[in-house]
Amino acid sequence: MTMAVKRSMPVKKPRPRAAAKPVPPVVDPPVLDPEPVPEPEPEPEPKPEPTRPDATPIVTPPPAAGPVIVEYPRWLYHVNGDRRIVQDADEAKRLGPGWRATPGKE
């Protein structure tokens, strides 16, 4: 009986790799600046109409310099000790003489 001889497989040697070729960088094509759009000319402001010589001038009152003082309603005091709240100057006049804005006797 003959024995089969086991042959060894030839060993493949690794092949040396070829040097990689350099890859050129990707360059975008140049982009041209868009043409500038000219700005439209501003419309001139309308001139105010001339005022008539007989027109009433418009006057703006100056702003108040301090707190607004409210005259009425307010208390009025009589020299005999009575006191009342009045809503306006007419009502204060109708009360008659002897009524004052502050309490006390004259």
Side-chain angles (χ1 to χ4, degrees):
M1 191 163 162
T2 41
M3 269 199 152
V5 176
K6 193 172 187 187
R7 290 188 186 187
S8 63
M9 302 256 320
V11 177
K12 290 186 176 180
K13 292 183 180 179
R15 296 166 100 194
R17 290 188 172 206
K21 294 180 183 177
V23 177
V26 177
V27 178
D28 292 333
V31 178
L32 300 176
D33 289 338
E35 292 285 326
V37 178
E39 293 183 22
E41 292 189 26
E43 295 181 19
E45 292 188 23
K47 293 181 181 178
E49 295 181 17
T51 56
R52 299 185 326 242
D54 62 337
T56 306
I58 299 173
V59 179
T60 304
V68 177
I69 298 173
V70 178
E71 294 269 339
Y72 293 95
R74 70 189 228 186
W75 283 97
L76 287 183
Y77 303 91
H78 196 269
V79 291
N80 69 6
D82 287 344
R83 58 187 177 183
R84 298 232 175 111
I85 296 176
V86 293
Q87 300 299 320
D88 54 31
D90 291 335
E91 188 177 349
K93 284 182 186 177
R94 284 194 305 257
L95 287 177
W99 290 90
R100 310 281 184 257
T102 58
K105 298 187 183 208
E106 270 187 49

